[in-house]
Amino acid sequence: MRKAFMYGAAVAGFGLPTFAAAQSTGSIDAETDIIVSGTRTKPNINGIEIPETPKPKAVLTQEFIAHRVPGQSILDTINQIPGVNFTNSDPYGASGGQLRIRGFDGARVALTFDGIPLNDSGNYSIYSNQQLDPELIEQVNVNFGSTDVDSPTASASGGTVNYRSLTPTDKIGATVVYSHGTYDMNRVFGLFNTGTFTKFGTKAWLSASSETYDQYRGYGSLDKKQYNGKIYQPLGNHGDFISIAAHYNENRNSSYSNPTLANIRSVLGTAAVPSTGITPSTPYTLDPSKAQYDTLFNNTSSSVLYDASCSLPSANGATGTAQDDRSSCSNVASTAINPSNTGNVRVNSRFTLSNKLTLTFDGAYSFTRANGGGSAVLAESNAAATNAAGTAAATSVYSYQFQRLGAGIANSVDINGDGDTRDYVRVYAPSNTRTQRFTAIAGLRYEINPDNAVRLAYTWDRARHRQTGEMSLLDSTGQPYNVFSAFDGQGDYAVLDAAGNVLNKRNRLSYAILHQVSGEYRGSYFDEKLKVALGVRAPFFRRNLTNYCYTIPGSSSDAYCTSQTAAQVAANATTAIYGAPYANRVKTYSAVLPNIGLTYAIVPHLSAFASYAKGFSAPRTDNLYAFDDVKIKPTSEVKAEKTDTFDLGMRYTSSLIQAQVAGWYTYYDNRIISTTTTLEGGGTLTTDRNVGAVKSKGVDASIGISPTRHLSVYGFGSFIDARLQNNTVDPSTGVVTAATAGKFVVETPKWQYGGRVQANFEPVSIGAQVKHVGRRYATDINDVIAAGYTTVDLDARFSLAPVGLKETYFQLNVSNLFNERYFSNLSTGTNAASTTRYTFGSPRTVVGSVHFGF
């Protein structure tokens, strides 16, 4: 008989790390009640747990997380889960990275924090460098190919990653961690628990961290600060509670320069990287020798590395002299940056309304301010003209429409203030994004009897997504005066047009709105041997789209923005205008998404499970702006992506062994990719479209064994076969633009395997983990391959518990112990001629930490 109800979701979800935390408080409450079957704790192998849920899931608790590099992204930590591949951009995590789960990229995986969505509301991207400090994460879990019925997500076709923050402790206490490592990494983390400080049981914690380090390659540094707090109020004696938490994260990052295949060829030569003969039938594998890799890694040419500094002629120009910035500061580290400010306020709560009826509510407000840096060159007069020396204007220079609102070509603007209009001026031109988001999840669970329960939930999510591209001046060394440029036209260094308006390369306002109703039944049969979860969710998505400017094809086939009036456009346009300003264009999407899960206890500790889930990913806001114009030759507007995922597996769980094996199949329809579209009258424009189906299948397996309290061994492996089913076709012409039918999905390793060994002999513990990532295709037609690689990490801890300092210890972490040479992130393209980019894997990194606990 189920007795979990008496313990309450607050205890199960927050107080006991052995339970599988789901996305929302309501999902925790339902999952705990029907699955736990009266067991207050579940076994795990040094923080690795396989929960007895109807859906395939894996859990890592704080016990495991604490052994990783301090400050590391939680997405790097889940790399030890089968089917998951996260490639980090640097050894400490502040530069971000790329996530893949069963072949689905991060934009198709839902990420939540205390039940609150973290994916970007515009493009659904996951920013791994903005996640909660790992010391504050109670546990993280991964759902494969499915999501909970009340999940507030627009994109979960590839599964979900969920993590929850710590609950304040009953006793007063503090933790301080100082870490120092390779590349002058310095990090300080502090946590203070107030303990219970009112007669009502109120308790809270506050934390702060600061981390800085140099790039492991190139010029620049990374600076990350984070502040968190949480207050928790228990209510009554049924496990009810309300908690309020806040989070703020600030990143100031220099970006890494990642070479293209052509850049690599320029350094290593055509003997190493051929320039011809690369085809799908004779693909090229990027697998340089140790000497070649080191030559490329240490190369300081501008083809593979950003310049450390530069000088802008226009910033020191004299009146009457033609200053030309076109070849200056075009590849400098000062504008290759990625600043971000993010934060949220979260509410989680549970209320027992009667012995059978429970109400849960989660809510949040979150915000984002970020950009990816960048620069552009503007001509003070007509960009099609020649400069004073008679040299033709470079094609990268913004054309007249993008420079100003002047009523005629003769109008010129003194951008740099040197008293003439003869210059080509380089300016800071980032793509700014600001988001304000509100989320609410309310649920009711009714316990019919000790073996059957139902719940209903309503989910609301509203994000205001502002996308702009304000331009501002750079100083004489190519540094921006403000990393966020000229938000809303503010700042003394904003670049103005002839009419006095701030130049803006894009200007959009979007609202991404979700209303969702869902229901679920959970039951237990045959003396709790068979457990069933039947759910359905019905999301209704609305996208309100406003574009404040005309869209014009640029010289590089990209769309740029002009805020000219219709009359000015007619008078000044030297090329066709593709898309007029509009307000409140509305797109709606809806779906009914069932999911079914079953577990059956065959014998004690051994069970079988099966599940089916229908997934849905609404088109991203950015996808929808690609079809603004009737002058684009007729195409089909992007449709929502849909998936059908089936899992069948076995698991064995005991205090000695945690093991699971699952076979799975996913049919993925309406996959969206970016391609080029032919325009009326000639020319092309990059747009997004559906390219048909993807069929994926595979096997995930893991086993953890703890034969003694001193030793644990964990191993995992996964196999995946994910192939596109259709060729890429330009619907405006019917011409096949890429022969992708039958090709393997990019960035997806067919094989992954690894494991961890940990030995505990107090006061010393030592752990080592290994992971092999198989080869990955870097192009859609599979003509370029990134070779596989194997990395080994080591951690060791010396505790001062024998001298009475129970919570104090020294920890050593070594990442990439054997200094494997490999490429981590892949920026993929259509074929070998595309501008695909390859990120160098982080070299061996050593970090020492001292952890004080009071």
Side-chain angles (χ1 to χ4, degrees), residues 137-335:
I137 297 176
E138 180 68 44
Q139 63 170 229
V140 57
N141 70 79
V142 178
N143 284 335
F144 298 97
S146 65
T147 185
D148 297 302
V149 295
D150 59 357
S151 176
T153 177
S155 179
S157 50
T160 58
V161 178
N162 323 297
Y163 64 85
R164 297 194 73 91
S165 57
L166 297 170
T167 296
T169 58
D170 291 334
K171 295 183 179 181
I172 190 171
T175 299
V176 177
V177 182
Y178 171 70
S179 304
H180 179 73
T182 312
Y183 312 113
D184 197 26
M185 179 271 209
N186 289 279
R187 180 177 184 265
V188 178
F189 168 85
L191 169 66
F192 173 66
N193 266 288
T194 66
T196 301
F197 62 88
T198 73
K199 65 179 181 180
F200 306 107
T202 312
K203 49 190 176 180
W205 56 255
L206 296 170
S207 76
S209 68
S210 177
E211 180 178 33
T212 62
Y213 56 94
D214 296 329
Q215 288 188 330
Y216 66 84
R217 179 180 174 274
Y219 313 101
S221 61
L222 299 99
D223 188 337
K224 180 177 180 179
K225 295 180 176 62
Q226 190 171 124
Y227 306 92
N228 292 278
K230 187 173 187 176
I231 184 167
Y232 182 94
Q233 177 62 62
L235 304 171
N237 54 8
H238 294 286
D240 295 343
F241 70 96
I242 181 169
S243 73
I244 302 174
H247 165 81
Y248 176 76
N249 186 88
E250 184 175 291
N251 281 65
R252 296 293 182 266
N253 293 347
S254 299
S255 300
Y256 288 94
S257 177
N258 303 315
T260 65
L261 200 62
N263 296 149
I264 297 173
R265 183 184 298 117
S266 70
V267 175
L268 300 183
T270 55
V273 185
S275 57
T276 60
I278 301 178
T279 68
S281 59
T282 58
Y284 169 71
T285 299
L286 181 60
D287 187 19
S289 67
K290 178 180 177 181
Q292 290 172 330
Y293 186 97
D294 289 346
T295 296
L296 185 64
F297 186 91
N298 295 316
N299 189 277
T300 59
S301 66
S302 60
S303 62
V304 293
L305 204 66
Y306 290 124
D307 298 328
S309 61
C310 69
S311 177
L312 280 180
S314 69
N316 297 305
T319 301
T321 304
Q323 306 296 332
D324 191 348
D325 289 347
R326 286 172 293 174
S327 60
S328 301
C329 300
S330 61
N331 188 57
V332 68
S334 57
T335 53

Side-chain angles (χ1 to χ4, degrees), residues 383-730:
T386 59
N387 63 15
T391 305
T395 57
S396 62
V397 177
Y398 274 64
S399 65
Y400 178 83
Q401 290 88 351
F402 317 139
Q403 298 173 49
R404 55 195 179 276
L405 301 181
I409 293 295
N411 285 343
S412 300
V413 181
D414 182 8
I415 296 174
N416 61 343
D418 67 350
D420 63 47
T421 57
R422 306 180 62 186
D423 307 326
Y424 293 92
V425 181
R426 183 169 296 280
V427 299
Y428 186 46
S431 295
N432 284 313
T433 296
R434 287 162 290 170
T435 301
Q436 295 189 70
R437 190 171 191 171
F438 295 89
T439 305
I441 309 169
L444 280 173
R445 181 176 62 84
Y446 180 74
E447 183 175 325
I448 301 170
N449 58 44
D451 293 306
N452 297 274
V454 294
R455 67 168 172 142
L456 297 174
Y458 169 72
T459 302
W460 174 72
D461 187 45
R462 180 184 185 274
R464 183 185 189 274
H465 193 67
R466 189 76 170 95
Q467 296 174 293
T468 57
E470 300 94 339
M471 300 186 187
S472 60
L473 295 177
L474 296 167
D475 69 14
S476 61
T477 62
Q479 294 276 353
Y481 289 96
N482 187 324
V483 294
F484 292 113
S485 193
F487 263 156
D488 294 325
Q490 303 300 311
D492 295 333
Y493 300 97
V495 174
L496 305 181
D497 57 38
N501 300 298
V502 175
L503 290 182
N504 213 334
K505 67 180 181 179
R506 67 174 184 176
N507 196 355
R508 304 169 178 171
L509 172 62
S510 311
Y511 288 87
I513 303 169
L514 166 66
H515 295 276
Q516 178 176 277
V517 293
S518 57
E520 186 177 48
Y521 162 78
R522 290 181 181 250
S524 180
Y525 300 89
F526 308 119
D527 197 24
E528 298 191 349
K529 288 189 175 183
L530 176 65
K531 295 171 183 176
V532 179
L534 306 175
V536 62
R537 64 187 183 102
F540 299 87
F541 299 98
R542 178 185 175 97
R543 300 290 184 263
N544 295 350
L545 311 171
T546 298
N547 193 347
Y548 292 103
C549 60
Y550 287 93
T551 301
I552 305 175
S555 58
S556 301
S557 300
D558 295 321
Y560 290 93
C561 173
T562 177
S563 298
Q564 291 176 321
T565 65
Q568 290 167 337
V569 168
N572 300 333
T574 58
T575 185
I577 304 299
Y578 293 91
Y582 57 80
N584 202 28
R585 179 180 292 178
V586 176
K587 303 292 182 182
T588 59
Y589 307 90
S590 61
V592 177
L593 308 172
N595 62 79
I596 303 168
L598 308 170
T599 61
Y600 184 78
I602 302 171
V603 295
H605 306 299
L606 179 66
S607 64
F609 64 91
S611 68
Y612 162 75
K614 191 167 190 65
F616 182 88
S617 182
R620 307 167 195 178
T621 301
D622 292 346
N623 298 147
L624 302 175
Y625 283 104
F627 288 86
D628 287 350
D629 199 337
V630 295
K631 293 187 179 181
I632 296 176
K633 288 190 175 181
T635 63
S636 298
E637 186 172 308
V638 282
K639 301 176 182 178
E641 299 175 333
K642 298 179 180 179
T643 59
D644 292 276
T645 298
F646 302 85
D647 280 87
L648 181 64
M650 303 278 289
R651 60 169 67 101
Y652 184 92
T653 57
S654 70
S655 58
L656 176 64
I657 298 174
Q658 295 263 300
Q660 178 174 278
V661 60
W664 59 272
Y665 171 81
T666 297
Y667 181 80
Y668 169 23
D669 200 14
N670 295 335
R671 184 171 186 260
I672 298 173
I673 66 168
S674 295
T675 59
T676 55
T677 295
T678 303
L679 303 172
E680 286 187 359
T684 60
L685 189 68
T686 300
T687 63
D688 297 295
R689 63 166 52 91
N690 302 105
V691 293
V694 179
K695 292 182 179 179
S696 304
K697 57 182 179 292
V699 178
D700 298 324
S702 66
I703 182 170
I705 303 174
S706 183
T708 73
R709 65 185 181 88
H710 300 294
L711 179 68
S712 67
V713 180
Y714 168 76
F716 69 91
S718 62
F719 165 82
I720 182 174
D721 184 82
R723 297 185 181 273
L724 304 172
Q725 301 300 301
N726 307 92
N727 288 326
T728 302
V729 177
D730 184 342

Side-chain angles (χ1 to χ4, degrees), residues 12-208:
F14 297 100
L16 296 175
T18 52
F19 287 117
Q23 289 182 325
S24 68
T25 305
S27 290
I28 294 174
D29 181 62
E31 196 166 276
T32 300
D33 182 60
I34 196 69
I35 299 301
V36 179
S37 300
T39 303
R40 283 186 63 94
T41 60
K42 283 182 62 63
N44 69 77
I45 306 297
N46 278 328
I48 303 171
E49 179 191 324
I50 300 174
E52 288 281 358
T53 61
K55 302 172 185 178
K57 181 181 290 189
V59 175
L60 301 177
T61 72
Q62 176 60 213
E63 184 179 2
F64 182 93
I65 297 168
H67 285 271
R68 301 294 292 151
V69 173
Q72 184 57 266
S73 171
I74 190 63
L75 297 183
D76 183 81
T77 302
I78 64 174
N79 243 338
Q80 288 284 296
I81 292 176
V84 175
N85 187 41
F86 178 74
T87 51
N88 222 334
S89 298
D90 70 30
Y92 301 117
S95 288
Q98 295 177 344
L99 176 68
R100 285 263 167 178
I101 296 181
R102 289 183 172 180
F104 288 89
D105 62 278
R108 294 174 171 94
V109 175
L111 176 65
T112 70
F113 168 21
D114 284 348
I116 304 307
L118 294 178
N119 297 71
D120 184 272
S121 63
N123 60 21
Y124 306 159
S125 293
I126 289 174
Y127 300 106
S128 61
N129 59 337
Q130 299 169 7
Q131 305 311 306
L132 182 66
D133 281 331
E135 293 91 344
L136 303 174
I137 297 176
E138 180 68 44
Q139 63 170 229
V140 57
N141 70 79
V142 178
N143 284 335
F144 298 97
S146 65
T147 185
D148 297 302
V149 295
D150 59 357
S151 176
T153 177
S155 179
S157 50
T160 58
V161 178
N162 323 297
Y163 64 85
R164 297 194 73 91
S165 57
L166 297 170
T167 296
T169 58
D170 291 334
K171 295 183 179 181
I172 190 171
T175 299
V176 177
V177 182
Y178 171 70
S179 304
H180 179 73
T182 312
Y183 312 113
D184 197 26
M185 179 271 209
N186 289 279
R187 180 177 184 265
V188 178
F189 168 85
L191 169 66
F192 173 66
N193 266 288
T194 66
T196 301
F197 62 88
T198 73
K199 65 179 181 180
F200 306 107
T202 312
K203 49 190 176 180
W205 56 255
L206 296 170
S207 76

